[in-house]
Every structure is written in structure tokens, then in C-alpha cells.
């Protein structure tokens, strides 16, 4: 079977430069922001070396507009975005579908997603691997999937777990303990 042609675009948001790639089926890759357009392009093309710069379809243009709204802190729902996850493991596709149901400002854990899919606690590692290999981070909201006990867990995007934390904070999720309502008297 011939490989589908991929096009891509690098674009700027208030969070930095993002990259998106698509084919005739849907979005195939999404690169979370870096500080420089050329760095984003390098990261995106590392996974899709044959992709060519292109003009977004109306559907892709709407996803780009939604990404910009997201990084401006506006509630955004990517669950209806058409994806092409061809080549992904079937269980990973199930994990990604479950992760897409975790809405704005909500979180879950690797173990909870495994349980939702009818797998035992040992499958939490598989969920973690799927999140680490997520080809369309943000659109499949892997940043909303935490380690056990509400710990931040890993994040393979530029900036690592700090980026994950910033994205969650954009959505109003606070993982740090709240500041005390009453300040100390200092004695």
C-alpha cells in the first residue's frame, strides 16, 4: 500500500510555535509548542520526513484556530477532530479513544484508563507508553493523564512535565496543594 501524502504547517500561538500534519483522512501529527519555528519543524519532520509544507484544508484550519484558542486559555474541545492513527497498535487506539473522553479541566490516571478499558492494573504501564507515543498530543489530551496519587507523571513534549503542568493550569487544574486561607502570624 502506498504511503499517504502528508502536508504540514508550523504556526504561532501565545504558547510558542506548534506544528500540525495531515493527510486526506485526518490529522496525523501534532507538535506541541517550542520557542522557535525551526525547532518545531525539525521535531515534526523527524517523525514525518516526507511531509511537505502545505496550505491547510478548512478542517485543519479550524483545528489550528482551536489550538490558538486553547493556548489563550479558552475552553476547547478537540474530541471531534478527525484523526488518522493508522499504524498504531489496536490497544493504543483504544487508550487514545478513552483519553479523548477526558474533557477540559479534568484529569484521570494511567490506572483509571486501564480499568476503563477492562484491563488490570498492570496495563497502566501500557497506558503510559501510549501517552508517551501519542502522535497528536493536545488533540488526544495526554496531558490530562496523571500518575497514581495525582502525581504529574512524565511528559515527552518539549519542556517535559513543566509543560504538562502549564497546560493543566491553563485549564484551571491545580496539582499543587492550595495556599492556606489564613497566613501565618510568623511566631
Amino acid at each position: 500500500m502506498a504511503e499517504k501524502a502528508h502536508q504540514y504547517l508550523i504556526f504561532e500561538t501565545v504558547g510558542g510555535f506548534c506544528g500540525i500534519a495531515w493527510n486526506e483522512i485526518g490529522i496525523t501529527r501534532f507538535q506541541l509548542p517550542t520557542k522557535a519555528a525551526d525547532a518545531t519543524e525539525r521535531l515534526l519532520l523527524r517523525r514525518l520526513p516526507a511531509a511537505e509544507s502545505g496550505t491547510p484544508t478548512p478542517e485543519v484550519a479550524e483545528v489550528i484556530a482551536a489550538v490558538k484558542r486553547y493556548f489563550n486559555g479558552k475552553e476547547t474541545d478537540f474530541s471531534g477532530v478527525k484523526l488518522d492513527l493508522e499504524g498504531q497498535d489496536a490497544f493504543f487506539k483504544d487508550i487514545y479513544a478513552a483519553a479523548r473522553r477526558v474533557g477540559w479541566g479534568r484529569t484521570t490516571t494511567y490506572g483509571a484508563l486501564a480499568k476503563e478499558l477492562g484491563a488490570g492494573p498492570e496495563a497502566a504501564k501500557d497506558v503510559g507508553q501510549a501517552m508517551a507515543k501519542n502522535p497528536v498530543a493536545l488533540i488526544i489530551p495526554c496531558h490530562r493523564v496523571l500518575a497514581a496519587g495525582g502525581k504529574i507523571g512524565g511528559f515527552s513534549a518539549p519542556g517535559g512535565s513543566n509543560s504538562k503542568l502549564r497546560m493543566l493550569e491553563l485549564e484551571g487544574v491545580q496539582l499543587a496543594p492550595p495556599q492556606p486561607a489564613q497566613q501565618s502570624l510568623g511566631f
Side-chain angles (χ1 to χ4, degrees):
M1 178 184 233
E3 188 166 317
K4 298 175 192 79
H6 288 85
Q7 292 186 301
Y8 75 93
L9 181 75
I10 306 301
F11 61 97
E12 191 170 10
T13 72
V14 297
F17 290 91
C18 293
I20 192 166
W22 66 92
N23 62 22
E24 70 274 5
I25 295 171
I27 306 297
T28 59
R29 289 278 173 193
F30 183 79
Q31 179 60 54
L32 286 167
T34 69
K35 293 179 195 246
D38 61 336
T40 298
E41 185 174 41
R42 228 180 359 265
L43 288 168
L44 187 73
L45 292 176
R46 187 178 298 156
R47 293 191 170 85
L48 286 174
E52 295 183 9
S53 181
T55 302
T57 65
E59 294 83 7
V60 174
E62 178 47 41
V63 175
I64 292 167
V67 169
K68 290 180 179 186
R69 286 192 304 272
Y70 177 88
F71 284 107
N72 277 316
K74 305 250 187 304
E75 186 170 340
T76 310
D77 178 11
F78 295 101
S79 64
V81 172
K82 190 158 175 137
L83 303 175
D84 180 1
L85 298 176
E86 186 177 314
Q88 295 290 324
D89 174 270
F91 188 54
F92 278 20
K93 286 181 183 179
D94 292 342
I95 292 167
Y96 294 147
R100 289 186 89 182
R101 293 190 290 272
V102 180
W104 173 274
R106 301 183 57 120
T107 61
T108 190
T109 63
Y110 302 120
L113 274 185
K115 185 176 180 181
E116 180 182 330
L117 296 170
E122 69 283 352
K125 286 185 178 185
D126 294 327
V127 173
Q129 288 177 347
M131 295 299 107
K133 294 178 179 178
N134 180 359
V136 288
L138 180 60
I139 299 168
I140 295 173
C142 53
H143 63 285
R144 297 178 186 150
V145 184
L146 307 175
K151 293 185 176 99
I152 193 75
F155 201 53
S156 57
S161 57
N162 286 332
S163 292
K164 184 176 187 175
L165 194 56
R166 280 194 304 275
M167 291 170 72
L168 289 170
E169 287 171 351
L170 264 178
E171 298 182 23
V173 175
Q174 298 296 320
L175 295 180
Q179 294 296 319
Q182 183 175 5
Q183 298 300 316
S184 168
L185 297 175
F187 58 90

